[in-house]
Amino acid sequence: MADRRLDDYDRKRRGSRTDEPAGRSGSGSGAAPRFVTQRHDASSLHFDLRLEIDGVLVSWAVPKGPSVDPSDKRLAHRTEDHPLDYADYEGRIEEGYGAGTVIVWDTGTYENLTESDGEPVEADEALERGHLKVDLHGDKLTGAFALTHTTMGGDEANWMLVKVDDHGADRRRRPTSTQNESVLSGRTNADLEAK
Ligand code: MN
């Protein structure tokens, strides 16, 4: 299904040597929406956080990766929406946009916890308002995270990602430096580089 929301996704990859999924939106499974955090070793290493919202993966590149310490604020740069199929993508992008290796660092379902004046706010509406609170049911990431649009740095794409202080918070654990393997395949980015 052609989808204008994935035009940016397709345009950026035109002429690239890549085995990434085609830019098709989906309808989801009807079950709880998915999230994925991919470890992307490109021109600079970063983590891509993606949330399934309305048939696409709404995406942010997090240069330092998500932290489970509530006192850490992590810059999250909003990037183009990705197709749902991308949630399972691992591979090596030979050349062009995003050239490098991608693994599924963490994935699972999530629950939208966003509220305004005690009333639940739908995820697409929360995105537009610039504040989203999601409860991640992952392997490395669990509990609530807040994503807040910020005008810091004068860049419209800048958001902040902060762990909410709950059962999934941990001030000592550093999963982005100590757990580098894929939750799907057990592979690391280096394994893909060497293939
Ligand atoms: Mn990326």
Side-chain angles (χ1 to χ4, degrees):
M1 175 167 85
D3 191 322
R4 300 290 301 275
R5 288 174 301 173
L6 294 170
D7 282 358
D8 274 356
Y9 177 90
D10 285 331
R11 186 172 46 77
K12 286 172 189 279
R13 286 162 181 76
R14 210 164 285 153
S16 289
R17 284 178 61 207
T18 181
D19 60 354
E20 294 167 294
R24 281 190 300 269
S25 68
S27 52
S29 58
R34 269 187 88 179
F35 88 93
V36 64
T37 303
Q38 280 154 319
R39 190 175 189 275
H40 186 184
D41 195 358
S43 55
S44 61
L45 174 68
H46 60 275
F47 291 74
D48 291 298
L49 171 63
R50 313 187 196 281
L51 301 175
E52 176 185 347
I53 297 176
D54 286 346
V56 294
L57 294 173
V58 175
S59 300
W60 292 263
V62 186
K64 289 184 165 179
S67 173
V68 295
D69 181 345
S71 61
D72 286 337
K73 288 186 171 63
R74 292 291 161 85
L75 180 69
H77 194 83
R78 178 99 183 258
T79 59
E80 77 278 14
D81 294 345
H82 278 50
L84 292 184
D85 288 349
Y86 209 92
D88 295 314
Y89 175 72
E90 298 194 331
R92 186 157 62 125
I93 302 163
E94 301 282 343
E95 61 180 56
Y97 181 70
T101 55
V102 176
I103 61 160
V104 175
W105 184 76
D106 198 23
T107 190
T109 59
Y110 79 92
E111 198 181 333
N112 171 26
L113 299 180
T114 316
E115 289 188 348
S116 176
D117 299 324
E119 296 293 321
V121 179
E122 297 286 339
D124 56 344
E125 173 71 18
L127 255 188
E128 237 163 76
R129 294 191 194 180
H131 181 72
L132 198 54
K133 186 174 163 188
V134 289
D135 194 51
L136 302 184
H137 306 164
D139 184 355
K140 295 165 179 156
L141 303 177
T142 56
F145 285 77
L147 272 159
T148 307
H149 193 205
T150 169
T151 51
M152 197 196 67
D155 188 335
E156 273 299 305
N158 285 347
W159 290 58
M160 279 292 176
L161 175 67
V162 182
K163 180 75 192 78
V164 173
D165 200 351
D166 63 9
H167 64 93
D170 188 329
R171 284 170 176 76
R172 291 172 307 279
R173 200 162 71 88
R174 292 283 178 270
T176 51
S177 41
T178 59
Q179 296 173 272
N180 288 337
E181 72 294 338
S182 161
V183 292
L184 294 187
S185 66
R187 296 180 297 185
T188 62
N189 290 85
D191 292 335
L192 294 175
E193 201 66 67
K195 84 176 177 189

